[in-house]
Amino acid sequence: MLKDHTEAPLPRKLIVEPTTRCNFQCRMCVKQSAGARIEEGDLSSRILDQCLEVMPGLDSLVFTGIGEPLLHEDIETFAAQARSRMPNGSRIGFQTNGKLLNRERSLSLFDSGVNTICVSVDSIEPALFNDIRTSDGFFDVNPVIESLGRNRAEVTAKKTGGDIRLGVEFVVMKQNLDQLPGLVRWAAQHQLDFIIVSHVVAYGKAFQDQAVFLNNSYESMAWFEIYRKKAEAAGMDLQEYSRMLWKYHKTEQETELYRLMDEFKRAAQDQGVYINPVHLFSEKKGAYDAVRTRFDHAEQLARQYGIELTLPRIRPKTNRRCDFIEEGAVFVTWDGQVSPCYFLWHQYEVMRAGNIKQVSPLYFGDLHQGTLGQIWQQRDYAEFRQKVIAYDYPNCHAWCDTRCDYVLQAPFYQDCYINDIPCCDCYWSLGLLNCLT
């Protein structure tokens, strides 16, 4: 049963897009993908004014989005407006590629009330960094980070900046996985506070093979091991299931293997674990250990150096969780559209099981026509949030070998459960993606 929408509190986290313009052309960015339909523009003061009423209740405000926030000349003005209304201990931050983050700009940001800066660093080797994050010229992020540290020390010494946190975001992929432990050492050398790691999203076919996360959950792999041993004890190999599945005339042993596999799937499903044979049989030996080794090493170093390290899951969650809805987040585009999450913020294409999925934005209001508080408390938005956290929708990643037209085509109307919320094929709720919020 849905709660009365009038009981919904105001948001606790606000993510605002200052601009969709950018001075980089990163190959893995949604903006560079063939299916992106993202108009360029800048946030106006009028849009931010419509958000001011929720500021006293915010835990955090983050300026980020498709573009580079520092291309907007009024970021400091926006931050100062927010800081004057937000409670003590709240965070104001932004995500940046760092190219425009010189001494003068960083000091003005700190002075305006910004107390969290996260720089995108996908490699500590300049050549690879520039291969991944293409700008209008060779860019070395090291001087930027060094300058940030000095400027923070200067502001802190004057006791004018409060608790300023500096960190980096790292998009992990096969191309840079080996560099993750070195990144932690590098972050410690530069006295950074945090590292956020997220898996790469394949917005085009070129990045499908770069992902290092695996398709099978820990729970499904545990069940697989139980029944692999059962099959082995009976002189059978579960891997043969795919070969004999569609045979019309099966041998006695093949029939027994089919029965055992059916028992396997039913036993797991009774415990809320869905078994996808295609995923199970296609997982390459050693793939998990290759990622786990790097992640464990990075975690060990982070503990040693006192750095807050946020890693994505290597295997997807069985029990999904939408952090955006659960933690009271709301997203505002540069032109004033109100969206519930990163996944549904813009129109673009993303790869799913070798298929191109069309993603349409989901908006619940326009800040040209109402305040953020009013839109947040609308019945349709409140009901959407309740439906999301009920988690009564399919898990396409776990269940499906491919994708059906329900989820591939846009606009989205319904899933195979006849739900009208487009959350069944979201990687955020599986724990595979992280971001600054």
Side-chain angles (χ1 to χ4, degrees):
M1 181 177 179
L2 298 177
K3 297 178 181 178
D4 186 334
H5 72 289
T6 60
E7 295 178 358
L10 292 175
R12 300 190 304 277
K13 296 184 176 183
L14 174 58
I15 297 88
V16 176
E17 183 174 60
T19 182
T20 48
R21 296 181 295 121
C22 194
N23 52 349
F24 276 31
Q25 293 180 323
C26 304
R27 292 188 294 115
M28 75 288 201
C29 178
V30 62
K31 191 174 181 183
Q32 307 306 321
S33 66
R37 302 290 183 270
I38 301 170
E39 183 182 352
E40 291 199 342
D42 294 342
L43 181 75
S44 70
S45 58
R46 178 185 176 188
I47 296 301
L48 193 72
D49 286 346
Q50 295 289 75
C51 302
L52 294 180
E53 67 179 1
V54 306
M55 300 287 181
L58 289 181
D59 297 327
S60 64
L61 165 64
V62 177
F63 292 105
T64 189
I66 300 303
E68 166 52 46
L70 294 183
L71 286 173
H72 200 305
E73 61 184 15
D74 292 329
I75 282 289
E76 289 90 341
T77 301
F78 295 157
Q81 275 187 286
R83 176 54 68 206
S84 67
R85 292 166 173 81
M86 290 174 64
N88 292 334
S90 59
R91 313 294 313 180
I92 298 180
F94 68 95
Q95 179 88 31
T96 176
N97 59 42
K99 186 146 190 180
L100 302 176
L101 201 54
N102 55 30
R103 169 180 163 78
E104 180 182 2
R105 197 76 195 270
S106 62
L107 289 175
S108 70
L109 287 161
F110 293 149
D111 187 57
S112 70
V114 170
N115 55 9
T116 304
I117 295 180
C118 184
V119 182
S120 297
V121 178
D122 299 319
S123 173
I124 54 176
E125 295 179 1
L128 181 55
F129 180 97
N130 281 270
D131 179 55
I132 295 172
R133 293 191 173 271
T134 307
S135 68
D136 56 1
F138 191 83
F139 177 57
D140 184 358
V141 74
N142 283 279
V144 172
I145 300 297
E146 291 166 3
S147 175
L148 262 181
R150 291 193 300 270
N151 296 338
R152 173 173 62 174
E154 178 182 331
V155 170
T156 303
K158 295 177 181 178
K159 298 182 179 180
T160 58
D163 175 26
I164 297 173
R165 287 169 52 81
L166 304 178
V168 294
E169 180 171 2
F170 182 86
V171 179
V172 65
M173 58 191 99
K174 290 178 181 177
Q175 193 176 8
N176 64 4
L177 173 62
D178 288 341
Q179 296 202 3
L180 182 56
L183 177 76
V184 179
R185 293 192 191 92
W186 176 88
Q189 291 168 3
H190 290 88
Q191 298 182 315
L192 298 182
D193 302 296
F194 65 90
I195 300 171
I196 300 171
V197 182
S198 183
H199 288 293
V200 69
V201 177
Y203 293 113
K205 293 182 178 180
F207 275 90
Q208 283 187 109
D209 296 331
Q210 279 292 319
V212 298
F213 66 82
L214 303 175
N215 289 317
N216 300 297
S217 68
Y218 290 102
E219 294 86 350
S220 66
M221 292 301 292
W223 279 101
F224 181 63
E225 183 62 15
I226 291 170
Y227 276 85
R228 184 192 66 78
K229 290 179 179 178
K230 281 191 176 185
E232 190 177 75
M236 297 182 292
D237 182 358
L238 278 186
Q239 294 280 356
E240 290 294 303
Y241 175 79
S242 296
R243 181 189 61 77
M244 49 70 61
L245 177 60
W246 301 109
K247 285 180 65 177
Y248 185 76
H249 295 290
K250 295 180 175 65
T251 66
E252 184 176 331
Q253 188 178 58
E254 288 171 342
T255 300
E256 178 59 21
L257 179 59
Y258 185 90
R259 185 205 63 76
L260 184 65
M261 193 68 186
D262 188 57
E263 177 190 317
F264 167 29
K265 290 188 285 187
R266 289 177 183 275
Q269 280 186 265
D270 285 346
Q271 300 300 314
V273 179
Y274 192 87
I275 299 302
N276 188 318
V278 171
H279 285 173
L280 285 172
F281 297 145
S282 63
E283 182 167 316
K284 294 181 180 178
K285 187 176 181 179
Y288 174 80
D289 290 340
V291 183
R292 182 78 272 165
T293 299
R294 275 71 169 187
F295 277 23
D296 285 349
H297 191 189
E299 285 186 313
Q300 177 189 358
L301 291 169
R303 287 192 297 271
Q304 177 183 336
Y305 295 125
I307 293 176
E308 180 185 307
L309 175 64
T310 302
L311 290 170
R313 293 176 64 94
I314 301 173
R315 298 187 181 280
K317 293 179 182 177
T318 292
N319 298 315
R320 293 166 292 175
R321 185 181 193 273
C322 178
D323 291 341
F324 302 129
I325 301 300
E326 298 275 10
E327 296 175 7
V330 63
F331 293 70
V332 173
T333 66
W334 69 272
D335 56 350
Q337 301 301 315
V338 178
S339 179
C341 62
Y342 270 118
F343 182 54
L344 302 171
W345 210 1
H346 286 288
Q347 183 173 347
Y348 58 94
E349 292 176 355
V350 67
M351 301 305 299
R352 289 290 190 265
N355 300 291
I356 297 174
K357 172 184 173 64
Q358 305 288 335
V359 179
S360 293
L362 179 62
Y363 299 138
F364 285 98
D366 185 339
L367 291 175
H368 291 96
Q369 300 171 1
T371 67
L372 185 56
Q374 291 169 341
I375 293 170
W376 175 267
Q377 292 182 331
Q378 288 174 180
R379 180 175 293 277
D380 58 344
Y381 195 0
E383 290 184 349
F384 171 85
R385 295 193 296 270
Q386 290 297 318
K387 289 178 181 178
V388 171
I389 61 176
Y391 302 107
D392 186 26
Y393 38 87
N395 185 338
C396 298
H397 183 79
W399 300 0
C400 304
D401 305 333
T402 181
R403 294 294 189 274
C404 66
D405 288 344
Y406 280 130
V407 298
L408 289 179
Q409 295 182 354
F412 175 90
Y413 292 109
Q414 65 181 37
D415 59 33
C416 61
Y417 277 19
I418 322 299
N419 288 307
D420 61 356
I421 58 172
C423 303
C424 55
D425 201 19
C426 174
Y427 280 10
W428 292 93
S429 65
L430 298 176
L432 302 175
L433 306 176
N434 292 316
C435 59
L436 180 70
T437 57

